[in-house]
Amino acid sequence: MLEEKNDNLQDADGKLETVSQEVEQTENEAVETSNETVEAEQEIVSEETAPEAEALNEVALSDEEVADDTIVVEEPIASGNEAVDAISNSNAEESEDETLAGRHEIPMLEYESLSMETLVDELEKLVAVEKVMSVKDHIEEIKKEFLSKYNHFIEEKKQEFDAENPDTLEEFHYHLPLKSKFDALYNQFRDKRNIHFKKLQNDLQGNLETRLAIVEELKNLINPQENIKDTLKHFNELRDRWKNAGPIPKDKYNHVWNNYHFHVENFYDYLHLDREARDIDFKHNLELKTKIIARVEELVEEADINKAFRELQDLHKIWKEDIGPVSREHREEIWNRFSALTKQMHDKREVLFEAQRGKETENLAKKKEIIAQIQMLAQEKVNAHALWQGQVEKVEALRSEFFNAGKVPADVNEETWSAFKDAVRDFNVLKNSFYKDIKKDQQDNLNKKNALLAKAIALQESEDFSATTPIMKQIQEEWKTIGHVPRKYSDKIWKEFKDACNHYFEKLKAQKNEVNEEEVEAFDKKKEYLEVLRTFELTGDHKTDLDAIKAHIETWKGFGRVPQTRRHIEGKFNKVLDVLFEKLSLSKKDTDMMRFSNRVEQLSGSDDSRKLENEKIFIMRKIDEVQQEIFQLENNIQFFTNTKNAKKENSIVLEVRKNIAKHKESLETWKEKLKQLREIKE
């Protein structure tokens, strides 16, 4: 649409050239007439322009009023129409600085809902835009939201620092790299803006002087004594110079444009010297303005109201700056049509704004509810760390919900933000009070963990795996039972403890891998030897055979331990021994002790010292049981032997004595086992 208007404007400029050509042709024809005719025409012109000259004198007298902004124009800039005034003011601002026009193309995001990281990313994108003033409002909004969130963040960190260090004289310092990046980007924008302002001020003043000079030339352009051809040529030159003069200060914009158009319209009225040429230009300007009105009628029905309103601003600028006046009979009527349509668009935009204000009111209600929920959490006393973590998660969720709720009415924005910060601050005070109370416990926990860490470090190089492994496992179990330590030490001490434990158990694992290979080899040897042992035959000589069996046992022991999952081969070996002992008619005690020696040998080769200890406890318990049995039997036999009529011991007494002897023999065996076990442990 704008391209179409620009094309039409070029045609309009061409029309004035056509007027000039037609006037030139008329004058040439006039030259060919008699002098009398020329003089007559000039007399007529003088009569017709006499009122015009008088009007021009009135204009000249009113120039002082022009300087006082009291010009009355046909299409007033300050029209009393709110819609037109709003567009005029906006165009005045954009005319001062053409880079402002680009701000319509850059959407204003809901910066309040963005995180600090996202705000900095958006700032980085906007700073890279060449038209620095087109992003000014966006960047200032980002600055406001970032600093609000940053100050809130620092305040929370300071409260945490004070809670963890109540007695410290150290000043609170917190460095956030993101803040440094924000400062650097904003300073970059500020420098670009200052350079832009400096250049703009110089340009604006120079352009203002140029335009005022053009207006002065327009004032003096109407001269009945001057050749109309030269006057038209001068007028076109002034128009071209005006279009290329550049922006001026916005506070001078309406005043200067009013002056310019006032004198342009006077010049057009002066063109009644050549009514046909003037009417052709009036007609062409009317066509252009009628096209603009037709386009505005389409914009009134446009769904995207903001987009339509921006185009309407551009059409107002074209109407005002690029199209000349129309005939007096149409000026008021066509302006009223344009103004009425502008008001319709403005009213639709106001309805949209009203809906937005309604949405902001809804957002305000949401944020008030969120603040109330945080205030309730700020009054709930919790006495456990896990529960406090739950409370913190709730507040964090409410904070995110607050930031995502959208904008609130501008007049309550600061009040709402302040209430939110106060609610979060109250919650943090309550939370920090709890953690301040448990800080002493955390310090005690730190001391306990440091002691366990020292033990773990001292044992991590130990190669006495059977003795060290249970200790290391016990240390780990104790570590689990100790509560939290201060946050600044937590990661460090845990890493050191974990590294020490891992170092030891990696060594243990490597040692076990080596042992496992030896155990598999021992199993293969024992399996092969078991087949040889099954073919062993006794010679009949008791001592020789007993020595041979003992030699087999020692050979068997020499093969070493077998894997845990293959210990069944020991049972097979014991069964072969049982058969040989039975053939040898070895006493039960000797047989039992030889088996026990073999068992103890296996236990002593185990990494688990608890097995030997358990065996010792079992034997001691058996000794107590046998002694109790002997005591009971001896107590019973006294009952029979102290009887007056007992002349001789009967069969029951003999059986009891026999049983006592058997238990005493068993007792000696158990005591000998205990002795052997103690010697091994020593």
Side-chain angles (χ1 to χ4, degrees):
M1 184 65 195
L2 294 181
E3 293 176 357
E4 178 185 346
K5 291 298 181 246
N6 289 334
D7 291 339
N8 290 336
L9 289 175
Q10 292 173 6
D11 293 340
D13 293 340
K15 282 297 179 182
L16 283 180
E17 293 176 3
T18 302
V19 170
S20 177
Q21 292 171 2
E22 291 175 351
V23 171
E24 181 180 0
Q25 181 180 356
T26 302
E27 290 189 347
N28 289 337
E29 292 174 354
V31 169
E32 296 175 359
T33 62
S34 64
N35 293 333
E36 291 82 6
T37 304
V38 172
E39 291 175 359
E41 288 179 352
Q42 289 177 346
E43 289 175 1
I44 295 172
V45 168
S46 298
E47 291 175 0
E48 291 179 350
T49 56
E52 193 70 43
E54 182 179 351
L56 289 176
N57 290 332
E58 292 175 1
V59 171
L61 291 174
S62 65
D63 283 344
E64 293 179 0
E65 296 177 11
V66 169
D68 294 332
D69 292 343
T70 57
I71 292 177
V72 178
V73 293
E74 198 109 12
E75 297 170 6
I77 299 302
S79 64
N81 185 323
E82 182 181 354
V84 174
D85 293 344
I87 291 176
S88 179
N89 292 334
S90 178
N91 283 340
E93 183 179 4
E94 292 182 7
S95 294
E96 179 185 65
D97 188 352
E98 295 174 348
T99 63
L100 290 173
R103 62 185 172 181
H104 295 316
E105 303 169 5
I106 302 174
M108 183 76 74
L109 305 181
E110 293 282 349
Y111 296 119
E112 185 183 62
S113 64
L114 302 182
S115 65
M116 288 194 291
E117 291 78 7
T118 308
L119 286 172
V120 172
D121 291 341
E122 287 297 320
L123 176 61
E124 189 169 16
K125 294 177 186 176
L126 294 177
V127 169
V129 175
E130 291 185 6
K131 295 182 178 181
V132 61
M133 295 305 293
S134 67
V135 296
K136 173 179 68 72
D137 295 339
H138 303 68
I139 289 180
E140 291 303 323
E141 189 68 19
I142 288 176
K143 176 186 176 183
K144 183 185 76 172
E145 295 301 335
F146 179 87
L147 292 180
S148 293
K149 289 180 171 61
Y150 172 76
N151 291 335
H152 187 60
F153 173 80
I154 292 298
E155 186 177 350
E156 288 185 343
K157 291 297 180 184
K158 186 177 186 305
Q159 289 175 357
E160 292 178 4
F161 175 81
D162 292 340
E164 293 181 359
N165 306 276
D167 302 322
T168 185
L169 298 177
E170 179 184 355
E171 292 186 5
F172 170 75
H173 294 286
Y174 191 92
H175 174 65
L176 183 66
L178 191 65
K179 177 62 164 57
S180 301
K181 183 177 180 181
F182 171 85
D183 290 340
L185 289 171
Y186 187 80
N187 289 339
Q188 183 180 344
F189 160 74
R190 186 181 58 190
D191 293 343
K192 290 174 65 176
R193 183 186 61 187
N194 291 341
I195 293 172
H196 174 80
F197 274 146
K198 186 175 181 180
K199 181 179 184 302
L200 183 64
Q201 292 303 317
N202 293 334
D203 293 344
L204 290 176
Q205 189 59 37
N207 295 339
L208 175 62
E209 294 172 0
T210 300
R211 289 186 184 274
L212 290 176
I214 293 173
V215 171
E216 287 299 319
E217 289 189 54
L218 274 174
K219 290 181 183 179
N220 301 320
L221 191 61
I222 301 175
N223 185 357
Q225 306 303 321
E226 187 176 280
N227 188 302
I228 191 66
K229 171 186 172 183
D230 294 336
T231 301
L232 284 173
K233 182 178 179 182
H234 191 185
F235 178 74
N236 283 330
E237 289 175 353
L238 291 176
R239 289 190 64 181
D240 289 340
R241 285 165 55 193
W242 182 268
K243 290 180 180 178
N244 299 322
I248 62 176
K250 63 182 179 181
D251 59 331
K252 306 293 184 183
Y253 176 80
N254 288 334
H255 169 74
V256 175
W257 274 105
N258 284 341
N259 273 335
Y260 173 74
H261 280 290
F262 181 82
H263 292 290
V264 167
E265 287 183 357
N266 276 332
F267 181 78
Y268 270 90
D269 290 339
Y270 172 69
L271 282 184
H272 76 276
L273 291 170
D274 189 341
R275 295 179 184 276
E276 183 179 356
R278 182 195 65 180
D279 290 345
I280 289 174
D281 202 54
F282 278 167
K283 180 181 178 181
H284 189 72
N285 293 339
L286 179 62
E287 290 175 355
L288 294 179
K289 291 189 175 182
T290 302
K291 287 183 179 180
I292 287 181
I293 290 175
R295 177 55 185 160
V296 176
E297 289 174 341
E298 295 175 357
L299 292 178
V300 170
E301 305 300 326
E302 175 70 43
D304 189 340
I305 298 176
N306 287 326
K307 178 182 177 182
F309 196 82
R310 287 195 295 270
E311 184 175 342
L312 179 62
Q313 284 183 259
D314 295 332
L315 292 175
H316 266 265
K317 192 171 184 180
I318 293 172
W319 179 293
K320 175 182 175 183
E321 299 180 12
D322 296 329
I323 303 177
V326 299
S327 62
R328 288 186 179 275
E329 61 182 297
H330 295 296
R331 286 179 189 175
E332 183 175 355
E333 183 267 336
I334 199 168
W335 170 251
N336 288 339
R337 287 175 60 193
F338 186 46
S339 179
L341 289 170
T342 299
K343 185 176 185 306
Q344 288 185 43
M345 179 67 72
H346 181 268
D347 291 343
K348 288 187 67 175
R349 191 164 180 248
E350 280 300 307
V351 171
L352 177 63
F353 285 163
E354 187 62 32
Q356 291 177 348
R357 286 190 285 269
K359 180 63 177 175
E360 290 176 355
T361 302
E362 293 179 7
N363 296 340
L364 176 61
K366 291 180 183 177
K367 289 193 172 184
K368 284 184 175 180
E369 176 61 25
I370 292 170
I371 292 171
Q373 293 182 46
I374 296 176
Q375 288 173 338
M376 290 179 61
L377 291 173
Q379 297 175 0
E380 293 182 12
K381 292 186 177 180
V382 180
N383 296 317
H385 171 71
L387 295 177
W388 265 112
Q389 293 305 301
Q391 297 290 85
V392 170
E393 290 177 3
K394 290 179 184 178
V395 171
E396 287 300 320
L398 289 171
R399 285 183 60 179
S400 298
E401 191 176 343
F402 181 89
F403 290 132
N404 293 329
K407 289 185 176 181
V408 300
D411 57 336
V412 295
N413 183 56
E414 290 298 328
E415 177 186 345
T416 306
W417 173 245
S418 178
F420 171 73
K421 290 195 297 182
D422 289 344
V424 174
R425 184 185 301 109
D426 291 343
F427 173 81
N428 287 332
V429 168
L430 186 65
K431 178 194 69 174
N432 293 338
S433 175
F434 166 79
Y435 283 106
K436 183 178 180 180
D437 292 339
I438 67 171
K439 185 182 178 184
K440 183 179 182 302
D441 294 337
Q442 290 186 346
Q443 187 62 43
D444 292 341
N445 294 338
L446 178 63
N447 294 336
K448 293 176 182 178
K449 286 191 173 183
N450 276 328
L452 292 180
L453 173 62
K455 287 184 181 180
I457 293 175
L459 293 172
Q460 66 178 344
E461 299 295 344
S462 174
E463 295 185 357
D464 186 0
F465 298 109
S466 60
T468 305
T469 301
I471 299 175
M472 290 294 284
K473 289 182 178 180
Q474 182 62 32
I475 289 175
Q476 289 179 323
E477 291 300 321
E478 288 183 29
W479 184 280
K480 294 177 183 178
T481 63
I482 300 175
H484 293 281
V485 301
R487 184 186 307 173
K488 58 183 176 181
Y489 302 114
S490 178
D491 292 342
K492 179 177 179 293
I493 192 172
W494 165 244
K495 183 179 184 304
E496 293 178 358
F497 180 73
K498 183 176 67 173
D499 290 346
C501 292
N502 287 346
H503 180 77
Y504 172 78
F505 284 105
E506 286 295 330
K507 288 182 61 179
L508 176 63
K509 182 179 178 182
Q511 188 269 345
K512 283 187 175 181
N513 289 338
E514 295 178 1
V515 171
N516 286 340
E517 293 179 2
E518 296 176 358
E519 289 178 350
V520 171
E521 184 179 355
F523 173 78
D524 293 337
K525 291 180 180 180
K526 285 187 175 183
K527 183 179 179 181
E528 183 179 350
Y529 193 75
L530 191 60
E531 296 301 321
V532 175
L533 191 60
R534 283 172 177 162
T535 63
F536 174 71
E537 296 289 341
L538 297 176
T539 62
D541 182 71
H542 182 84
K543 184 176 183 308
T544 301
D545 292 335
L546 181 59
D547 291 341
I549 292 174
K550 289 181 179 181
H552 283 307
I553 292 175
E554 291 302 320
T555 301
W556 182 270
K557 291 177 181 178
F559 292 140
R561 297 171 54 193
V562 298
Q564 183 71 30
T565 56
R566 301 184 183 184
R567 291 285 175 88
H568 60 276
I569 199 169
E570 300 294 341
K572 293 181 180 181
F573 177 69
N574 288 331
K575 288 182 180 179
V576 173
L577 289 181
D578 289 342
V579 173
L580 293 175
F581 288 148
E582 186 177 348
K583 290 181 180 179
L584 190 60
S585 299
L586 196 65
S587 69
K588 184 176 183 305
K589 179 181 177 181
D590 291 339
T591 302
D592 198 9
M593 288 304 300
M594 292 185 70
R595 288 175 178 170
F596 179 74
S597 297
N598 190 36
R599 172 176 170 76
V600 169
E601 188 71 23
Q602 295 174 11
L603 292 177
S604 63
S606 172
D607 291 337
D608 194 350
S609 60
R610 291 178 297 179
K611 292 182 178 181
L612 280 175
E613 187 65 26
N614 291 338
E615 186 71 17
K616 176 184 174 184
I617 294 172
F618 172 75
I619 293 173
M620 293 174 67
R621 188 181 296 118
K622 293 300 293 185
I623 291 175
D624 288 340
E625 291 177 1
V626 173
Q627 286 178 337
Q628 287 294 329
E629 285 290 332
I630 294 173
F631 176 78
Q632 186 64 42
L633 290 172
E634 289 179 341
N635 192 42
N636 291 342
I637 203 172
Q638 288 180 3
F639 175 77
F640 292 103
T641 56
N642 291 336
T643 304
K644 294 180 179 179
N645 297 328
K647 295 180 179 179
K648 64 176 181 178
E649 296 180 347
N650 54 30
S651 57
I652 296 176
V653 174
L654 293 175
E655 185 63 31
V656 172
R657 290 190 184 280
K658 185 178 179 182
N659 203 3
I660 290 174
K662 188 187 298 184
H663 276 76
K664 286 184 176 181
E665 183 180 354
S666 175
L667 179 61
E668 290 301 320
T669 302
W670 286 115
K671 286 182 176 181
E672 190 170 340
K673 288 181 180 180
L674 181 60
K675 180 181 177 183
Q676 184 176 341
L677 194 59
R678 284 174 173 168
E679 290 175 352
I680 291 175
K681 285 181 67 69
E682 290 174 358

